[in-house]
């Protein structure tokens, strides 16, 4: 098999496993399909992925050019990790507010919209399969419980709460109807779509919600045993998740210790310096209490939040050309997280543009309860999720030519999230933070991500309780308690994902220091950034190879 064929098959399996994301990205061949979580489908996909990894490994690298070697070196871990996920079932049918099937549907559909009659009819056929998918999901949830791998109760409760929020919305605001109806006279009628929602979709969600409450919640793990280490084979599962999210054979204890050192030794000096300059406070407990509770630091309205985000992103766009040679064509729109599900979602997140130009990059801003949100935190969020963070990275990757599709959208978590966190600090170098108070938000975000290393490994590898994780975050970050609770619950449900941020950021800074040392006065920050961002998603080992090649060509 050729590398081109291997890449095409790998991407096709990706779309098969998540056809809704395919539609969101502008790949409409599977618009009428919904993920199949039957045992036969899962086993078939895993088997094909193992074959792809074996075939890619057998290719003679001596005959490959640089880009083909990168493709081969990415196809192997991508196929193997996906096969591990499917065979281990540890992210299949997940109970989680982000990657769970029910909640992922509610989140994804808010960004979908049919552009013509064909897409509208295809989406209608897709939604008719929701009862089948949710039934398959529940069966997987029940199997996990039977095998000693139940979800944590707090995450089950959040999933139920999100579904309740959806079911309580007005039919006229139903996201599945909005995604399906188009304003043309020959389209599916509003009556037909409303019937689909009321007779098929909502009853399926209600049934899944009730099954979760009746048959999963009673067996869910209590708050003092939320981590994977308290589940059957949990340590093995966590080891695989750590590798998936960091792309490294990382040791949980080493990651834990690095997070501790960053949050409790390195950052306090920066807190004291900027805290003294802005608020006249250097003592961490006093500073954190002020940042959490001073009402003058809060937003006054959701519109103020949106306006602040828009102005910050516009300012960052204007500075891009001084720091990057490459510049994406896709715009980035600020949109509010749908109110029905906002309570249980994080402050902000990003969605890649559609490849067909039908949708720009979307920066989702959670404006739920705006007066509880502190303005000083948000510039770092905007830089992380939009410019120069995820939108710059993901849009440049999507717009690349001459590489396979799977590389444009490769799930290289440590590269993507590491870049987002790197972008927060880079924005400071670019002079983008408005005030020192906003720079305190940068420190808060850095402490937050260092804390993720500590509490994720703490809960899943060391047996920490949920409350111990919350208490640690309260002590070492100024994040509001409600957000800390929400975030800790996110790490419980998405074990390992929190490790990607600091791991990737540290590696990008290490590579930059290495390049600067090697090149001296010949070091070009634009060239470095382009090297990091213009080969698509990369594992950290492959990113190191790409940067080393750039350095070699720049000597």
């Amino acid at each position: 098999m050729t590398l081109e064929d291997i890449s095409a098959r790998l991407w096709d399996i990706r779309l098969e496993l998540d056809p809704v994301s395919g539609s969101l990205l502008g790949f409409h061949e599977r618009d009428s399909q919904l993920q199949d979580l039957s045992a036969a489908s899962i086993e078939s996909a895993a088997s094909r992925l193992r074959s792809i990894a074996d075939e890619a490994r057998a290719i003679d690298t001596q005959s490959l050019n640089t880009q083909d070697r990168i493709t081969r070196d990415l196809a192997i871990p991508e196929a193997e990790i996906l096969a591990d996920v499917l065979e281990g079932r540890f992210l299949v049918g997940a109970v989680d507010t982000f990657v769970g099937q029910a909640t992922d549907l509610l989140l994804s559909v808010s960004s979908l919209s049919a552009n013509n009659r064909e897409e509208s009819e295809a989406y209608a056929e897709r939604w008719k399969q929701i009862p089948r998918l949710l039934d398959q999901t529940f069966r997987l949830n029940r199997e996990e419980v039977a095998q000693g791998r139940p979800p944590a109760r707090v995450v089950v409760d959040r999933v139920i709460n999100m579904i309740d929020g959806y079911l309580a919305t007005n039919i006229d605001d139903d996201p599945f109807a909005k995604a399906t109806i188009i304003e043309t006279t020959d389209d599916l009628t509003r009556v037909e779509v409303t019937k689909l929602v009321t007779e098929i979709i909502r009853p399926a969600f209600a049934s899944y919600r009730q099954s979760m409450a009746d048959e999963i919640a009673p067996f869910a793990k209590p708050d003092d045993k939320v981590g994977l280490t308290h589940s059957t084979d949990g340590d093995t599962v966590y080891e695989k998740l750590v590798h998936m999210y960091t792309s490294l054979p990382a040791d949980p204890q080493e990651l834990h210790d690095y997070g501790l050192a960053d949050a409790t030794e390195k950052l306090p000096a920066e807190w004291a310096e900027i805290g003294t300059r802005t608020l006249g406070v250097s003592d961490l407990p006093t500073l954190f209490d002020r940042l959490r509770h001073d009402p003058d630091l809060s937003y006054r309205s959701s519109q103020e939040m949106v306006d602040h985000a828009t102005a910050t992103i516009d300012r960052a766009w204007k500075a891009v050309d001084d720091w990057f040679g490459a510049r994406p064509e896709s715009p980035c729109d600020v949109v509010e997280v749908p109110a029905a599900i906002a309570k249980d979602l994080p402050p902000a997140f990003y969605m890649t543009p559609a490849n067909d130009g039908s949708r720009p990059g979307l920066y989702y801003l959670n404006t739920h309860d705006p007066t509880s949100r502190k303005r000083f935190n948000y510039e770092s969020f905007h830089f992380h999720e939009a410019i120069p963070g995820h939108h710059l990275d993901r849009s440049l990757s999507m717009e690349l030519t001459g590489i396979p599709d799977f590389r444009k959208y490769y799930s290289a978590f440590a590269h993507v999230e590491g870049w987002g966190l790197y972008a927060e600090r880079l924005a400071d170098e670019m002079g983008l933070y408005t005030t020192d108070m906003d720079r305190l938000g940068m420190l808060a975000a850095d402490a937050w991500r260092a804390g993720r290393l500590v509490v994720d490994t703490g809960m899943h590898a060391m047996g920490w309780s949920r409350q111990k994780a919350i208490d640690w975050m309260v002590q070492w970050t100024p994040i509001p308690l409600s957000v800390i609770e929400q975030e800790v619950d996110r790490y419980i449900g998405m074990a390992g994902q929190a490790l990607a941020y600091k791991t990737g950021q540290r590696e990008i800074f290490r590579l930059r220091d290495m390049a600067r040392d090697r090149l001296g006065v010949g070091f070009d920050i634009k060239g470095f950034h382009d090297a990091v961002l213009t080969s698509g998603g990369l594992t950290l080992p492959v990113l190191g190879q790409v940067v080393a090649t750039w350095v070699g060509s720049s000597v």
Side-chain angles (χ1 to χ4, degrees), residues 296-318:
D296 292 336
L297 301 181
S298 298
Y299 283 108
R300 295 181 296 274
S301 68
S302 58
Q303 188 59 52
E304 182 186 0
M305 293 185 70
V306 173
D307 291 344
H308 185 204
T310 302
T312 303
I313 293 169
D314 287 346
R315 187 168 72 252
W317 267 119
K318 294 174 182 176

Side-chain angles (χ1 to χ4, degrees), residues 15 43 112 161 166 178 180 238 277 319 329 375 378 398 407 427 429 431 433 443 469 485 527 540:
L15 295 179
E43 290 164 8
L112 272 179
N161 188 59
Y166 162 62
K178 287 184 172 181
T180 308
Y238 190 56
R277 198 160 61 233
E329 296 181 4
R375 184 183 176 98
Y378 276 77
M398 182 205 73
R407 280 181 54 188
E429 297 178 56
Y433 286 98
L443 297 186
E485 291 172 339
L540 295 186

Side-chain angles (χ1 to χ4, degrees), residues 464-477:
W464 283 22
S465 67
R466 175 178 183 264
Q467 190 60 50
K468 183 173 181 177
I470 291 170
D471 291 344
W472 191 95
M473 294 288 280
V474 168
Q475 181 178 2
W476 292 105
T477 78

Side-chain angles (χ1 to χ4, degrees), residues 279-292:
L279 299 172
V281 178
S282 60
D283 172 66
L284 252 61
T286 305
L287 177 61
F288 287 177
D289 183 71
R290 174 83 176 272
L291 293 175
R292 282 195 187 101

Side-chain angles (χ1 to χ4, degrees), residues 315-455:
R315 187 168 72 252
W317 267 119
K318 294 174 182 176
V320 163
D321 291 342
D322 291 334
W323 293 81
F324 299 85
R327 182 186 180 96
E329 296 181 4
S330 302
C332 180
D333 287 357
V334 179
V335 295
E336 296 181 65
V337 174
I341 59 176
K343 184 179 179 181
D344 294 292
L345 289 174
F349 51 94
Y350 174 76
M351 183 174 289
T352 303
N355 77 322
D356 60 359
S358 61
R359 178 182 52 76
L362 298 179
Y363 171 32
Y364 278 94
L365 187 64
N366 193 336
T367 58
H368 173 75
D369 193 13
T371 58
S372 71
R373 301 183 186 273
K374 303 301 182 183
R375 184 183 176 98
F376 74 89
N377 281 317
Y378 276 77
E379 287 196 359
S380 66
F381 294 166
H382 307 332
F383 298 137
H384 179 113
E385 303 294 344
I387 301 294
H390 288 331
H391 181 68
L392 192 66
D393 167 28
R394 294 293 80 206
S395 293
L396 284 174
S397 183
M398 182 205 73
E399 294 170 9
L400 291 172
T401 59
I403 67 170
D405 284 331
F406 92 85
R407 280 181 54 188
K408 297 179 183 181
Y409 306 98
Y410 183 55
S411 301
F413 299 97
H415 185 190
V416 171
E417 297 299 353
W419 175 263
L421 191 52
Y422 170 86
E424 296 176 21
R425 287 283 185 168
L426 176 65
D428 194 26
E429 297 178 56
M430 296 168 69
L432 293 177
Y433 286 98
T434 305
T435 67
D436 271 342
M437 182 63 72
D438 297 298
R439 294 180 71 238
L440 284 177
M442 175 189 72
L443 297 186
D446 221 17
W448 187 342
R449 279 37 171 265
R452 285 177 172 175
L453 290 180
V454 176
V455 301

Side-chain angles (χ1 to χ4, degrees), residues 34 123-134 166-167 171 174 176 192-208:
L34 201 56
Y123 289 166
E125 287 302 310
R126 168 180 282 166
W127 309 141
K128 290 176 184 177
Q129 300 167 57
I130 287 177
R132 185 262 302 158
L133 176 61
L134 293 183
Y166 162 62
L167 294 175
I171 292 294
D174 188 279
F176 293 97
E192 289 175 308
V193 174
T194 300
K195 185 176 180 180
L196 171 64
V197 169
T198 57
E199 296 185 7
I200 296 179
I201 298 174
R202 292 197 174 205
F205 273 96
S207 177
Y208 178 70

Side-chain angles (χ1 to χ4, degrees), residues 103 106 156-169 202 205-206 209-210 213 340-341 344:
T103 48
L106 293 174
V156 176
D157 290 344
R158 284 198 180 272
V159 169
I160 289 173
N161 188 59
M162 285 184 71
I163 295 174
D164 286 344
Y166 162 62
L167 294 175
T169 58
R202 292 197 174 205
F205 273 96
R209 181 249 185 251
Q210 198 59 47
I341 59 176
D344 294 292

